[in-house]
Amino acid sequence: QVQLVESGGGLAQPGGSLRLTCVGSTGSFSIYDMAWYRQVPGEQRELVAAIPTAGPANYHDSVKGRFTVSRDNAKNSLYLQMDSLMPEDTAVYYCNAQLLGPTGPRDYWGQGTQVTVSL
């Protein structure tokens, strides 16, 4: 089982920046496909950015060119650099780790960190 802990959320002004960090408890971090999701109350959780074990990262259209996802497997860490923030980026952001196993994909989630973009 993987435990994920997010940090770095908070209040930012429109046009500002925040950097989210997710640290995993596993020593096999590199085998997990990693992603950031976000959720607004009353709405479904949506994928913001994903960075697989191999291959390019991909982004939700609304954050392309503004957010950058990266990972440091040696530090068991996932990052989300958020620039040019907009009020519509306000949400709880969740770290996700996914592992493909013989019975299908297994997902692990962090507890979430609140990001609020407002004047």
Side-chain angles (χ1 to χ4, degrees), residues 11-19 66-67 81-87 89 115-119:
L11 176 64
Q13 292 187 346
S17 298
L18 287 173
R19 188 188 194 216
R66 300 188 298 119
F67 290 9
Q81 178 65 41
M82 305 187 294
D83 299 317
S84 302
L85 283 163
M86 301 188 293
D89 295 318
V115 170
T116 302
V117 184
S118 179
L119 290 172

Side-chain angles (χ1 to χ4, degrees), residues 66-83:
R66 300 188 298 119
F67 290 9
T68 303
V69 63
S70 61
R71 62 191 296 170
D72 185 339
N73 292 331
K75 295 183 178 180
N76 292 350
S77 294
L78 174 73
Y79 307 101
L80 185 67
Q81 178 65 41
M82 305 187 294
D83 299 317

